[in-house]
Amino acid sequence: SGGGKLRVVIVDDEPPGSPPAALRLRVGPRYSQAALLTLTATSPTATTGVQLGGRSVARDGSWSEPSNAPLIPRRHGTISLTVAPSSAALLTMLPAPRR
């Protein structure tokens, strides 16, 4: 996306009660951190009450991206996170500042 960002959608379609998925994404020096927005709803099949990053998602899929997403720092060239079962996340890799 614009400004050198890289967006990744992560979906864990395991049933509720399963262990969370632990992910390690090797990003090297290009990205310094990642913003994490989680998708939440009352159930995996919900069509109302759906939120992404704490903001409501309309039935047509539109929503307003929050400006205060939690940031995950790069450590040793890797972005690490966990995703709960029956959920999804939008991870936006943010480029490292140019020197």
Side-chain angles (χ1 to χ4, degrees), residues 1-91:
S1 67
K5 296 176 185 175
L6 175 64
R7 294 182 191 261
V8 178
V9 174
I10 302 164
V11 179
D12 184 347
D13 59 0
E14 292 296 318
S18 298
L23 302 168
R24 290 182 50 181
L25 304 171
R26 294 193 187 278
V27 298
R30 181 171 182 172
Y31 299 101
S32 62
Q33 58 190 350
L36 178 65
L37 299 177
T38 55
L39 185 69
T40 58
T42 55
S43 77
T45 59
T47 58
T48 60
V50 178
Q51 293 191 335
L52 180 59
R55 300 271 179 105
S56 293
V57 178
R59 290 184 71 88
D60 66 1
S62 61
W63 65 286
S64 174
E65 186 171 356
S67 60
N68 60 345
L71 298 175
I72 303 169
R74 177 193 72 214
R75 290 202 171 97
H76 307 292
T78 302
I79 302 284
S80 299
L81 68 146
T82 58
V83 179
S86 296
S87 70
L90 174 61
L91 190 66

